[in-house]
Amino acid sequence: MSSQPSDPLAAVDALLAAVEAGHLLPAPAERIRLREAAGLTQAAVAQALGVRIPSIQAWEDGRAEPKPERLQAYRRLLDGLAQRYPAPVTPEPAAPAAAPSHQAVAEAEVRPASTSRRAVAKKAATTSADPRFPHGPLAVLDGDGSAYGVDGIVLDCPADTVIELVEWTLKESGLGAARLNRNGKDSDPLIVLTASAAVKLGLPERLEGPEERRSLRLADDHPVVKQIGKAKWQLTQRGFGPWARVYRKADGRSRQCVQLAVLSWDALDTRSWPGVADMAPADIANVLGTYAQRVITPRGSTAVSGLELMTALRPPTRAVQENGTWVSGHNPGSLGTDQMDPAPPEAIAEHPVVVNSGWSGGFLNEEAYQWVRDPGLLSDEECLLPYAVGLDLNTAFLAAAARLVVGLSAPDHFHRPVFNKKIPGSWLADLSHLDLDPRLPSPFTPDGTRPTGPAWYQTHTLAYAQELGHDVHPVEAYLRRETGAYLDPWHDRLKTAYVETLADLGVTADLTDAEFLAAMEHHKQADPAMAAVLSAIKATVKGGIGKLRERPQGRTYRDGDPWPAMQRPTWRPDIRAAVISKARVNMHRKLANMVKLTGLYPLAVLSDCVVYPSPGASPLDFLPYDAAGKPLMGGFRLGPTPGLAKLEGVQEMSWAVDLMEKGLNPARHIKGGDAVLDDGE
C-alpha cells in the first residue's frame, strides 16, 4: 500500500498553511535543547503530558509527532521554554586548548563512508539517526576483512594491522554514535574483534603468559603495543586488554579515538552477555547494536558502561560565556570534573581519608539484605505448607534510583543536627532500642538483626525509622548542601531500555498476572539475542551502582595509597549507599505490608529476592488481590517494570526448612543451579 498522499498539492498547501500559522513544532534538536535548558527530564515531561517516556523520546528523535490531543499542550510547553531559554545568537565555538573537557563537546567532522560489501535495502533508525554515522555505532570484524554492522550492514575492512584498523575506522567506516546530551561527547566507534581477526592483526588469540593473564593486558614490549606508540597513537592506562582504547589528542573539532574489544580475551562476560561471544559476527553486531541504541555504546564491562552512562547523560561541563568568550564551565546537576573526598564514615578502611586521619568512628553499612528467619520462629502451619516460592524484584536498584535526591557538593560536618529526611547524607544515631517483629528482618541492618548501638545510617534508613513512628535524634552527621536527582536521566534511559527489551520478548504491561508468569517462563527462549540484551541491561544497573564504590585492586596495593578508581568524580560511595538504602527500605515496606494484607511472613531475603511459604506452586496462590481480582497496592505485585516482581523459583517447603536449619539462605538457591544474587558491589 502506498504511503503517498492522494493529493500532493493539497498536502503541500496544508503544510505551508501550518507554517504560516505557526502550528509546527520546533525541530527535534531544539525540542531537546529547550527541555535540557530547563533541567527537565523526559519522565517529567511525559508525566505532565500524560504520555509514556518512549513517546517523548520519539518526538525528540523526530521519529514521530504528537497526536492532535497532545500537540497543543506540547507546543505550549516548548513555546514557554523558548521564551525563557532563547537559542544563542552566536553558535558555540570549540573550547580553547586549555579546556580539553569542552573540546570533547564539539561536533565531530563528517567522515567519508566505506562501501558496503552487500547491498542493504533498508536501515533501521539506529543507523540513520545521525548522517555522520551512517553505519551505526559499531562493527564486528572477522578474519576475512568483513566488518559486520547493525541491520545487516557488512563493510570491507582492508586493515592488516591495528594502526590501519584505527585509521580506517575513523576515516572510512562511518561508525560512531551521537552524544546522549547536548553538553556531552559523541560515542567513539567500537570495533569488536573475533579470534581470527585478532590473529590477523598481530594479536595473540588468547592472552599468554602468567603476567598477561593476571593483568589482562599485553606486555608493554609486545610488537602491537610498540607499533601503536611508534605511529604516535596512545593507549589508556589500562593498556591493551580485552577492552582497549587507541587515541590521539583531539584534532581541531574532531575526536580521534577507537574502542576495541577482543572476543577471545573474554571481553564479553558470559554472566552479562550469555551466549553472545559464541554467536555469528552479524548476530553479535545486532545484539551489541541494540544495546548501544537503547543504553550506550559498550565501553568495557557492563559495570563500566553503567558508570559511563551516568556521565554521558550528566556531562560534567558545558559551554558558558565569560566576558563575551565561550569557555568550559561546570554543568549544574552533574558531579563535576574534580575528585571529591568522601566523609570518613562513607569511605572504606583503605581510603586515604580514613588512614591519614586515624578515623575510628565506624562506617556506613548500607548493603542489600542477606537475611534468614530463625527456624524456631516458624509456625506449624507454615511448615505444613507444601511450597516455598521465591519472588524477585525487577531491577530493584534501578527502581530505587528514581527521583532519588543525592548530594552533589562536598560533605559538611554537623554535631547534634535536627534530622531532616530531605537532606542526603550520613547520620550517626542509635536505633538499638527499637523493638520490631523478629519474623521480619530489621530494616536498619543488611543481615536483618537488631542494631546493637549507635551506627551510621543513610538518610533513607533514618527516614524509614520515622515513618515507622520512632523518634530519631542523630548525634552527628555529614551532610551536603548542594543536592539534586543526579541519577534521574540514567534511571529513565535504563528503565525504557528494560521495558522495551522485555516487550520484544513478548512480556508487556497489558498482560494479566497469569499471562505475565507464562510469558516470563519462556521469554529467554523466544529470542536468545534479545534475552542477552536484557541480561546486559540488568547487569548495567547493578554494575553501575557497584562501580560508585570500586575498591583497590592488585597484590601490591597498600592501605592509604590512592587507587585509580577513587580519583574520578564518580567514585561516590555515598550515592551507592543512598540507592541501596532506599532499595532495602522499599523491600521492608513491602514485607510489612504483606503481613497486613495476607498475614504471611517471609522465610528469607537476599538482595532483591524474597521467599515465602505458599499453599501452591505459583505466586498467584499467596499474593494479595481484591474481590475483582486486581492486585492490592502496597505488597508485592507482578509485572514487567522496575520494582514489580517476577517468579524467581519454586521448591518444596521441606527443602527450604532444611536449608534454614543449616544456616543457609533459601533465597540464594531457590532458582536452582546454585543461583547467587549480586549485592551491587
Side-chain angles (χ1 to χ4, degrees), residues 387-391 603 610-614 616-619 622 647-651 670:
Y387 295 103
V389 177
L391 294 176
L603 302 176
V610 57
V611 178
Y612 275 101
S614 173
S618 168
F622 67 90
L647 176 64
E648 179 70 6
V650 182
Q651 302 287 345
I670 191 75

Side-chain angles (χ1 to χ4, degrees), residues 233-255:
W233 290 91
Q234 299 181 60
L235 293 166
T236 57
Q237 288 185 346
R238 62 184 176 185
F240 204 120
W243 291 88
R245 280 184 179 273
V246 184
Y247 73 98
R248 280 177 179 160
K249 291 184 178 180
D251 178 17
R253 298 172 63 90
S254 178
R255 284 175 56 82

Side-chain angles (χ1 to χ4, degrees), residues 87-213:
V89 177
T90 304
E92 300 177 7
S101 58
H102 180 57
Q103 289 178 357
V105 178
E107 295 282 342
E109 293 179 353
V110 178
R111 306 185 183 107
S114 194
T115 304
S116 176
R117 176 187 291 267
R118 299 177 181 87
V120 179
K122 181 180 180 182
K123 297 178 185 178
T126 55
T127 57
S128 60
D130 193 307
R132 296 171 299 148
F133 311 116
H135 295 148
L138 55 89
V140 179
L141 180 63
D142 209 357
D144 64 355
S146 299
Y148 296 85
V150 297
D151 305 321
I153 292 174
V154 187
L155 307 174
D156 279 322
C157 176
D160 291 318
T161 67
V162 169
I163 297 302
E164 291 175 355
L165 173 62
V166 168
E167 294 179 347
W168 172 84
T169 303
L170 292 174
K171 296 176 182 178
E172 301 181 49
S173 71
L175 296 173
R179 67 196 66 179
L180 298 180
N181 182 288
R182 66 186 296 266
N183 295 310
K185 59 185 179 182
D186 297 330
S187 287
D188 300 314
L190 167 63
I191 302 294
V192 180
L193 305 178
T194 66
S196 59
V199 171
K200 178 184 177 182
L201 296 173
L203 299 167
E205 182 173 345
R206 295 196 173 275
L207 290 174
E208 301 167 341
E211 182 59 28
E212 288 184 351
R213 290 196 298 269

Side-chain angles (χ1 to χ4, degrees), residues 239-283:
F240 204 120
W243 291 88
R245 280 184 179 273
V246 184
Y247 73 98
R248 280 177 179 160
K249 291 184 178 180
D251 178 17
R253 298 172 63 90
S254 178
R255 284 175 56 82
Q256 298 186 90
C257 184
V258 175
Q259 176 81 61
L260 303 176
V262 187
L263 290 175
S264 57
W265 296 3
D266 300 324
L268 298 181
D269 188 325
T270 56
R271 294 169 298 178
S272 302
W273 301 96
V276 176
D278 297 325
M279 294 179 180
D283 295 328

Side-chain angles (χ1 to χ4, degrees), residues 570-617:
T570 49
W571 198 85
R572 290 295 302 272
D574 57 302
I575 296 180
R576 175 186 178 275
V579 173
I580 297 178
S581 168
K582 185 179 175 184
R584 197 182 66 245
V585 164
N586 287 347
M587 172 66 82
H588 190 277
R589 187 180 289 110
K590 287 181 169 63
L591 297 173
N593 286 337
M594 282 289 288
V595 175
K596 298 174 185 177
L597 295 170
T598 67
L600 289 177
Y601 291 85
L603 302 176
V605 183
L606 180 67
S607 188
D608 45 16
C609 177
V610 57
V611 178
Y612 275 101
S614 173

Side-chain angles (χ1 to χ4, degrees), residues 651-665:
Q651 302 287 345
E652 293 182 355
M653 182 64 179
S654 58
W655 169 90
V657 173
D658 182 58
L659 287 183
M660 295 168 69
E661 290 177 342
K662 293 177 180 177
L664 301 176
N665 193 324

Side-chain angles (χ1 to χ4, degrees), residues 123-458:
K123 297 178 185 178
T126 55
T127 57
S128 60
D130 193 307
R132 296 171 299 148
F133 311 116
H135 295 148
L138 55 89
V140 179
L141 180 63
D142 209 357
D144 64 355
S146 299
Y148 296 85
V150 297
D151 305 321
I153 292 174
V154 187
L155 307 174
D156 279 322
C157 176
D160 291 318
T161 67
V162 169
I163 297 302
E164 291 175 355
L165 173 62
V166 168
E167 294 179 347
W168 172 84
T169 303
L170 292 174
K171 296 176 182 178
E172 301 181 49
S173 71
L175 296 173
R179 67 196 66 179
L180 298 180
N181 182 288
R182 66 186 296 266
N183 295 310
K185 59 185 179 182
D186 297 330
S187 287
D188 300 314
L190 167 63
I191 302 294
V192 180
L193 305 178
T194 66
S196 59
V199 171
K200 178 184 177 182
L201 296 173
L203 299 167
E205 182 173 345
R206 295 196 173 275
L207 290 174
E208 301 167 341
E211 182 59 28
E212 288 184 351
R213 290 196 298 269
R214 186 193 66 79
S215 63
L216 291 179
R217 57 187 288 173
L218 291 179
D220 291 341
D221 60 354
H222 190 279
V224 170
V225 177
K226 294 170 70 174
Q227 289 170 10
I228 291 172
K230 186 176 181 180
K232 307 301 183 183
W233 290 91
Q234 299 181 60
L235 293 166
T236 57
Q237 288 185 346
R238 62 184 176 185
F240 204 120
W243 291 88
R245 280 184 179 273
V246 184
Y247 73 98
R248 280 177 179 160
K249 291 184 178 180
D251 178 17
R253 298 172 63 90
S254 178
R255 284 175 56 82
Q256 298 186 90
C257 184
V258 175
Q259 176 81 61
L260 303 176
V262 187
L263 290 175
S264 57
W265 296 3
D266 300 324
L268 298 181
D269 188 325
T270 56
R271 294 169 298 178
S272 302
W273 301 96
V276 176
D278 297 325
M279 294 179 180
D283 295 328
I284 296 174
N286 282 326
V287 168
L288 297 180
T290 301
Y291 178 90
Q293 183 225 355
R294 296 182 178 181
V295 182
I296 193 173
T297 302
R299 302 184 183 183
S301 68
T302 48
V304 169
S305 296
L307 196 67
E308 293 277 353
L309 180 64
M310 296 179 193
T311 304
L313 294 168
R314 291 275 199 193
T317 61
R318 65 171 181 171
V320 296
Q321 272 196 322
E322 287 186 4
N323 301 322
T325 302
W326 289 101
V327 298
S328 180
H330 174 66
N331 187 21
S334 76
L335 298 183
T337 59
D338 298 326
Q339 168 200 356
M340 184 182 298
D341 282 339
E346 297 168 348
I348 55 180
E350 305 95 317
H351 198 284
V353 164
V354 175
V355 175
N356 296 337
S357 67
W359 172 262
S360 59
F363 299 96
L364 276 176
N365 189 24
E366 299 288 10
E367 301 295 339
Y369 269 133
Q370 296 190 48
W371 172 82
V372 180
R373 200 202 314 177
D374 182 350
L377 297 177
L378 291 172
S379 68
D380 292 341
E381 291 80 2
E382 288 175 317
C383 291
L384 291 174
L385 290 172
Y387 295 103
V389 177
L391 294 176
D392 178 72
L393 295 182
N394 303 322
T395 57
F397 288 174
L398 185 61
R403 298 177 297 281
L404 175 67
V405 176
V406 300
L408 301 178
S409 56
D412 291 319
H413 193 193
F414 296 88
H415 292 280
R416 298 288 177 184
V418 176
F419 178 68
N420 186 332
K421 67 180 181 181
K422 295 182 179 181
I423 301 178
S426 303
W427 312 75
L428 180 62
D430 190 350
L431 303 180
S432 61
H433 61 286
L434 305 186
D435 190 18
L436 301 174
D437 193 324
R439 292 171 292 180
L440 290 175
S442 167
F444 311 125
T445 61
D447 63 4
T449 59
R450 185 171 177 168
T452 57
W456 288 95
Y457 298 101
Q458 202 277 333

